[in-house]
């Protein structure tokens, strides 16, 4: 599963699918297949802006799709949001998928990966907040000592 969320698209593949998408766009509405292929490439980009563009396309597909078509859109929306470190949103999408397909092994594995990232992110966040708290307490202590020294009668 780790491989799936870290896979990066080859630049030539991204260009090829972008070209196909734009060619269809010029002629009128883009087919669902072309839009999905391009979105799939975009979410595997190493650039956050590409991933966000892929998320927008997948969300558009999701809202216009039947329940049967939603599986892939939900799964790749979870992957894309994981890659953007938007773990809460990733979890939202994967849980919708699991509500529809509780036995989906790939979705279960991705949910575990997202939960691990959330825990890790939470611990890092707590460490940062704790470090800031210690820093503020240290500065307050130094100020307190300086005030106490200056208030001492001479």
């Amino acid at each position: 599963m780790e491989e799936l969320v870290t896979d990066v698209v080859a630049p030539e593949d991204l260009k090829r699918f972008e070209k196909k998408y734009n060619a269809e766009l010029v002629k009128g509405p883009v087919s669902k297949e072309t839009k999905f292929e391009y979105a799939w490439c975009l979410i595997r980009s190493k650039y956050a802006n590409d991933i966000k563009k892929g998320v927008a396309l997948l969300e558009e597909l999701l809202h216009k799709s039947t329940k049967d078509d939603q599986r892939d859109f939900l799964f790749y929306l979870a992957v894309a949001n994981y890659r953007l470190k938007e773990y809460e949103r990733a979890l939202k999408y994967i849980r919708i998928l699991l509500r529809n397909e509780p036995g989906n092994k790939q979705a279960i594995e991705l949910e575990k990966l997202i939960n691990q990232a959330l825990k890790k992110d939470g611990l890092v966040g707590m460490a940062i907040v704790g470090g800031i708290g210690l820093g503020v307490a240290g500065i307050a202590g130094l100020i307190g000592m300086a005030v106490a020294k200056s208030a001492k009668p001479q």
Side-chain angles (χ1 to χ4, degrees), residues 38-150:
Y38 183 44
W40 181 69
C41 284
L42 285 166
I43 68 161
R44 292 171 36 238
S45 172
K46 59 183 175 180
Y47 301 108
N49 284 338
D50 285 347
I51 298 171
K52 288 175 185 174
K53 198 186 309 184
V55 166
L57 290 173
L58 287 169
E59 286 176 339
E60 190 179 309
L61 286 165
L62 179 66
H63 295 298
K64 293 178 179 179
S65 68
T66 64
K67 195 170 185 172
D68 292 338
D69 291 337
Q70 290 182 351
R71 173 198 300 132
D72 289 338
F73 306 146
L74 288 166
F75 184 80
Y76 287 111
L77 278 163
V79 169
N81 281 288
Y82 176 90
R83 292 191 61 158
L84 291 168
K85 297 186 184 343
E86 297 281 345
Y87 302 125
E88 295 291 337
R89 288 185 77 195
L91 212 47
K92 179 187 93 169
Y93 286 118
I94 208 65
R95 287 189 174 152
I96 293 170
L97 174 55
L98 284 169
R99 206 173 316 127
N100 296 337
E101 296 181 25
N104 186 315
K105 291 192 185 325
Q106 260 194 317
I108 292 167
E109 287 301 310
L110 183 55
E111 183 186 35
K112 285 178 190 172
L113 195 63
I114 295 165
N115 281 322
Q116 288 170 353
L118 264 171
K119 285 178 188 166
K120 182 181 170 193
D121 219 38
L123 292 175
V124 169
M126 287 189 329
I128 290 170
V129 170
I132 291 170
L134 284 175
V136 169
I139 290 171
L142 288 174
I143 292 171
M145 285 176 27
V147 168
K149 266 190 176 179
S150 67

